[in-house]
Every structure is written in C-alpha cells, then in structure tokens.
C-alpha cells in the first residue's frame, strides 16, 4: 500500500462520500511515491493562493481539504488548512484589505485541523468583516469553515451541508503478518472488522462529529438541537433551501459579495484601541503621546488651582474648610467668594484682623489697602475677592 493511500485510509474525513471515493481513486492511480515527492518539492513555494480585489481579500478554498500541503494540494486541486490560515492572517494584517471573503467550492476534507482553522476565523470576528461564499459545494469540513465567518452566502445552485464525519478503513487481517500489542493497551489498533474494533472506531467518529455540531451551533449563534433538527443530520441542501434552514444568510453571487464588501467602510464600532494598535502602530503611538501631554497639562492646571486657593485662604479660614474647597474641585474664583463668606461667619476673628490679613494679601498684588472699618469691610469683601481673582488672571473683566 502506498504512503498516500495509507494516510487516507487511516484518517477521519468530514467530506462527502463521492469526493472521498474520487480522492481514493486518484491516489491509487499514482502509487510511485518517489516520483510524487519530487513533484511535490518543486511546487511547494507556490502554496499561497489569496488575492486582493478592491480592498477585499479573497481566499480560495477549493477541492478536498487537508491539514497540511501535500501531493493533493499541489497537483489535484486540493487546499490545505495551513495555507488558508496563513493567507487569512496576512489579510488581517494588511492595510490594503478592508474585508475578507472565503471563496468556497469544496466537498470537505480532513477533520484534523479543520476545527483549529475555524476557531481562528471565528476569533477574528470584529477585526474586519469576514464572509464566506459557496459557489459550488460547501459540504462537511468546508461548511464548518464557512460557518465561522460573520456571514455565509451561497449561489442559487450551491450544495451546502453534510454536517458529519466518516472514515474509510480496511480490515487488518493478514495471514502472513504476526502483530504484538502491549498487554496494557488491549484497545490499541483493534481490527475494525470485529465488533470491538468497530465500536472503538465508531466512538472516535461520534466524538469528532459532536465537536463539529457544537462548533457550527456556536458559529451560527444557535443551539445544538437546532443544528440537529434543521441542518439535515448529514444531508445537503440547494441554495434557497439552505437559506430557509439557516445554513446560509443570503443567496447571491461572488461578484456581488466582493462588490458589497469592497464598498464597506470601516465604522467607528470597528475602530477600537486594539485595532489601531495592531494595524496602525504609528497612529497609536501618536495618540499615546497626546494622551500623556494632556494628562500632564491637567496635572499642572490642578496644581495651580490648589496653590491659588491656598494663597487666598491663608489666615482666613480653617484648614478643614480649605481642604473641603480643594477636594470639591471648585474654581479659584468661586473659592475666593466661599473663603470670604466663611471668614465673616467666624465670630472669633475681629474685623480689624480680617481687614489686615486681607489687605496684606492684596498689597502684594498692587491693590490699595482698605481704609474702611467694621461693617464696611464686610460690604467690600466680595468685590475685593473678585479683584484678587482678576489679578491672579482668573477672569477677564471686573465685578459689577
């Protein structure tokens, strides 16, 4: 048995029966692995297939799907998950790409690696609009991938669904082979043609299918029972029927999808700090500098406010009252009025002392000392406070 055929027969596949049989027939016709490996090496550097149209990154997902690039992906029209993933992240990082469309025409493929790719796509939602378009077949693993996108489109003749997993195995009975299995591992490599062996294989297949179903439910925003009840339990549906059942969002054409997604502009909801930091680091650094400068200006302004209030309050009010003014974040002009009003409520302070303290603070600002006594001081204190605030540069005019 060739290496390629052995790999197919010992893997689990999320793909249609017809496609699996076709893939088997192709490999059986090419059993010369040495020649195939040489061809594979020559074409390895041409694995990336994505392209950009009008700001839309288009990633082809065609033919049988494999976890890694191999003979089938190089020469038989197949696609590898690693190639799609690499192209997908390049599109996410590119400033030329506003949105991403997966152009799907695939019967499905290897279960191994499909879930990881779909999770990467699902996790990138919100960074850029992501859509899947099924132009021919979007079955099994191909639909698994499509469901991870924000929206799924299909042509009116597209074939969509086939949610499930299968495996093609051969009996290991060989009269010329003697095989020993460790006593601690009686379930290792059971013959699938036996009842116990079939039970082991079925458990693996069912487990993978359960992952498939739960991920499709998450991706489409529905519950598991709805997937089982409406998505066909392995059946496929044509475009409009697939839309009615909720497998796709809209029947359209690839050109319309590319045109619509190319016309989309980035909305403010998409422009988050994380998006700017990841896609426009220079702009992010600029915003950081502006923010730091603004924070420094606010600190300086607050320091000046507190210093001026302390100057006005010196010898006029208690320390507790001063602290309450500072913490209340009132302006210096309002604080001056509050300080004067509080000082006249203090019966222990004689009017002469109030006048002297206030005149002393005003004399440093070239304000003529008050010549009044007694109640005249109280009558003029508010005007003096406003004048003091003006001298401190807190107001542009005089108090009327």
């Amino acid at each position: 048995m060739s290496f390629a055929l052995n790999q197919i027969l010992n893997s689990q596949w999320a793909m249609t029966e017809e496609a699996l049989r076709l893939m088997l027939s192709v490999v059986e016709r090419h059993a010369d692995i040495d020649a195939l490996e040489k061809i594979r090496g020559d074409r390895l550097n041409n694995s990336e297939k994505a392209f950009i149209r009008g700001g839309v990154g288009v990633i082809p997902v065609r033919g049988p799907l494999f976890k890694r690039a191999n003979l089938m992906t190089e020469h038989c029209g197949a696609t590898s998950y690693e190639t799609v993933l690499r192209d997908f992240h390049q599109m996410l990082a590119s400033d030329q790409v506003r949105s991403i469309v997966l152009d799907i025409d695939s019967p499905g493929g290897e279960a191994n690696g499909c879930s990881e790719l779909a999770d990467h796509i699902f996790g990138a939602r919100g960074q850029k609009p992501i859509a899947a378009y099924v132009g021919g077949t979007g079955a099994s693993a191909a639909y698994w991938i499509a469901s991870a996108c924000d929206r799924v489109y299909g042509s009116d003749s597209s074939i969509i669904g086939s949610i499930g997993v299968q495996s093609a195995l051969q009996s290991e009975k060989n009269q010329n082979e003697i095989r020993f299995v460790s006593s601690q591992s009686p379930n290792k490599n059971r013959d699938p043609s036996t009842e116990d062996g079939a039970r082991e294989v079925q458990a693996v297949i069912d487990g993978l299918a359960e992952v498939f179903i739960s991920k499709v439910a998450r991706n489409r925003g529905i519950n598991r029972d709805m997937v089982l009840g409406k998505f066909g339990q392995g059946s496929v549906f044509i475009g409009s029927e697939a839309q009615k059942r909720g497998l796709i969002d809209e029947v359209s054409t690839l050109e319309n999808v590319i045109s619509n997604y190319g016309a989309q502009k980035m909305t403010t909801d998409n422009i988050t700090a994380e998006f700017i930091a990841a896609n426009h680091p220079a702009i992010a650094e600029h915003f950081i500098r502006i923010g730091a400068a603004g924070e420094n200006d606010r600190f300086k302004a607050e320091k000046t406010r507190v210093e001026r209030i302390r100057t006005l309050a010196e010898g006029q009010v208690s320390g507790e009252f001063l602290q309450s003014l500072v913490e209340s974040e009132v302006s210096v002009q309002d604080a001056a009025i509050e300080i004067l009003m509080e000082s006249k409520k203090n019966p222990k302070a004689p009017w002469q002392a109030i006048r002297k303290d206030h005149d002393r603070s005003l004399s440093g600002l070239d304000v003529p000392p008050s010549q009044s006594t007694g109640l005249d001081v109280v009558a003029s204190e508010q005007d003096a406070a406003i004048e003091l605030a003006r001298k401190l540069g807190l107001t542009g005019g005089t108090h009327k």
Side-chain angles (χ1 to χ4, degrees), residues 307-328:
E307 288 177 348
R308 290 180 174 180
I309 291 176
R310 290 187 183 279
T311 299
L312 291 171
E314 183 179 1
Q316 303 296 325
V317 295
S318 67
E320 291 79 3
F321 187 80
L322 169 62
Q323 188 62 29
S324 68
L325 290 176
V326 171
E327 293 178 354
S328 65

Side-chain angles (χ1 to χ4, degrees), residues 2 9 34 44 59 62 100 108 126 186 233 278 306 342 356 371-372 374 388:
S2 71
L9 293 176
D34 292 333
L44 189 61
I59 304 176
R62 308 281 176 76
I100 301 171
Q233 296 183 341
V306 173
E342 176 67 16
K356 289 180 181 179
Q371 300 301 316
S372 301
L388 177 60

Side-chain angles (χ1 to χ4, degrees), residues 89-117:
H89 280 289
Q90 287 176 350
M91 294 298 177
L92 282 177
S94 174
D95 291 336
Q96 301 178 53
V97 177
R98 293 194 298 270
S99 54
I100 301 171
V101 173
L102 273 62
D103 179 14
I104 298 174
D105 186 0
S106 168
E110 192 175 1
N112 184 22
C114 182
S115 182
E116 289 85 347
L117 173 59

